[in-house]
Amino acid sequence: MAGVTQGQSLTSTTDAASGLGWLVAAGADALVTEAPRNWLAAPVAAPRPAVAAPALRSPASAPTPAKTPATAIAAGVPDLAALDAALIAFAHPLRRAETPPQLLTGNIASGIIVLGDQPEPADTPLARLTERMLAAIGLSAETCARAHLLPWSTPAGRPPRDDEFATFAAFRARAFELAAPRLILAFGDKAAAVSGQSRGIASARGKWLAIQGIPMLATFHPRILLTQPELKRLAWADLQAFAARMKAA
């Protein structure tokens, strides 16, 4: 760095010490350098080392979600009979070898599907109310198909768990693809939620939704109507709306 030049003269030791102190205070740290330097210029920041940008992953290298066993099985079945056979062979705690799966039963050619959460025992107050509700709009086992989110009922009729619904969702979706219905009547919030409606049956009922592009109307499950009969008036209005759509379709 710049130091004391040859033309500079100092008259005394005191002057020399004073001049040296001034240079040190100004930032001089070497006597003489080969190249001149402007000590009054603003300091220049040292360049930061370059950091290589992360390599972009091509779409082909992006990870794809792993398929569940049910998804892979359901996608490969060619018809509804094969779908039932795949369900019977599917290992799950709800499966009962002595009971045929009730994922989709009845008159599939009718184009009308009534969707519930799980199969219910026959000849019970719940079963009888369900039959009366359907009969009021001209539906029966002979004139519509019945579908369930679970192909078998839960032990002791306990409320189904979300993971159980998720396990059989691929089978239900494939059943609807193969059956190709024109209208769906959904009983209860779990059935309505298949359309993506997550606000509960009180908000979903009476509105036309869709499952896989198929028009669907949701209403209260007969199970709820047994404990809250004051809701029957609203359920009846929903059934009438569905009946009108059946006639127009």
Side-chain angles (χ1 to χ4, degrees), residues 152-237:
W152 292 279
S153 58
T154 57
R158 65 161 173 77
R161 301 191 306 266
D162 288 344
D163 64 292
E164 292 169 332
F165 289 134
T167 296
F168 291 100
F171 290 109
R172 190 269 315 149
R174 182 59 176 154
F176 284 7
E177 288 176 357
L178 294 170
R182 54 190 175 92
L183 291 176
I184 297 173
L185 175 63
F187 281 154
D189 56 346
K190 298 302 182 182
V194 177
S195 68
Q197 165 65 249
S198 59
R199 293 179 297 172
I201 192 60
S203 297
R205 60 148 294 271
K207 298 180 177 66
W208 283 101
L209 309 170
I211 297 178
Q212 299 170 227
I214 307 163
M216 180 193 78
L217 186 72
T219 191
F220 297 105
H221 196 288
R223 187 186 306 115
I224 298 299
L225 300 180
L226 287 175
T227 59
Q228 301 182 51
E230 67 276 9
L231 298 177
K232 289 182 179 180
R233 176 179 58 85
L234 297 175
W236 174 235

Side-chain angles (χ1 to χ4, degrees), residues 96-138:
R96 289 192 291 278
E98 72 282 2
T99 304
Q102 298 183 54
L103 190 73
L104 183 60
T105 60
N107 185 354
I108 297 169
S110 67
I112 305 297
I113 287 180
V114 179
L115 177 64
D117 50 12
Q118 63 175 325
E120 302 287 353
D123 198 24
T124 62
L126 175 57
R128 289 191 289 271
L129 176 57
T130 302
E131 291 173 1
R132 289 198 301 271
M133 290 173 66
L134 296 178
I137 55 173

Side-chain angles (χ1 to χ4, degrees), residues 20-136:
L20 181 60
W22 182 87
L23 291 172
V24 171
D29 56 3
L31 295 180
V32 177
T33 59
E34 295 180 356
R37 179 172 178 180
N38 183 2
W39 292 99
L40 300 179
V44 179
R48 300 179 64 181
V51 179
L56 296 177
R57 303 175 68 184
S58 64
S61 64
T64 55
K67 290 185 176 181
T68 64
T71 301
I73 294 170
V77 297
D79 52 43
L80 291 171
L83 186 63
D84 274 351
L87 279 169
I88 293 171
F90 186 69
H92 190 274
L94 291 181
R95 183 189 63 177
R96 289 192 291 278
E98 72 282 2
T99 304
Q102 298 183 54
L103 190 73
L104 183 60
T105 60
N107 185 354
I108 297 169
S110 67
I112 305 297
I113 287 180
V114 179
L115 177 64
D117 50 12
Q118 63 175 325
E120 302 287 353
D123 198 24
T124 62
L126 175 57
R128 289 191 289 271
L129 176 57
T130 302
E131 291 173 1
R132 289 198 301 271
M133 290 173 66
L134 296 178

Side-chain angles (χ1 to χ4, degrees), residues 141-160:
E142 290 73 34
T143 58
C144 71
R146 297 294 303 274
H148 300 94
L149 301 180
L150 299 181
W152 292 279
S153 58
T154 57
R158 65 161 173 77

